[in-house]
Amino acid sequence: MTTPAAADPGPPLRTWERRRLRGIERGLRAGGAWARPALCLGLDAATLVLLAAGIFVALPWLFAGCVAANLAVCLHFERSSRPIRRGGNACPR
């Protein structure tokens, strides 16, 4: 009996792949894992409310909604913009 192709683990991971996966795992295990998504969702909700109020109520609310949208985008992308390793190239040769 042969194993299906999906069960084949493939070649062992290279050193840089193991380090990168360990770094990702460490980031997932960090304390306060629910605080950041809750903050992102709260800011997203506030942004939508401010944008809707700006469209239907008054223009200054629209400006506040645009500022909140910029903050929300920065908060969402801030985590993924960190370097994987310090002092080196993120992608090995």
Side-chain angles (χ1 to χ4, degrees):
M1 184 170 149
T2 62
T3 59
D8 182 23
L13 295 174
R14 292 186 212 115
T15 305
W16 69 270
E17 291 172 324
R18 280 195 305 271
R19 261 191 241 127
R20 188 166 185 170
L21 288 174
R22 245 183 251 130
I24 293 170
E25 182 183 3
R26 215 175 301 125
L28 291 174
R29 280 197 222 162
W34 288 100
R36 187 168 186 93
L39 180 63
C40 285
L41 287 175
L43 189 56
D44 290 343
T47 300
L48 290 174
V49 167
L50 287 171
L51 289 173
I55 292 170
F56 296 112
V57 178
L59 228 45
W61 290 102
L62 185 63
F63 175 74
C66 290
V67 171
N70 284 331
L71 289 174
V73 168
C74 290
L75 190 64
H76 281 289
F77 287 139
E78 187 263 334
R79 185 173 192 154
S80 64
S81 66
R82 293 182 193 155
I84 304 288
R85 306 184 269 184
R86 294 182 191 250
N89 189 358
C91 298
R93 295 179 196 174

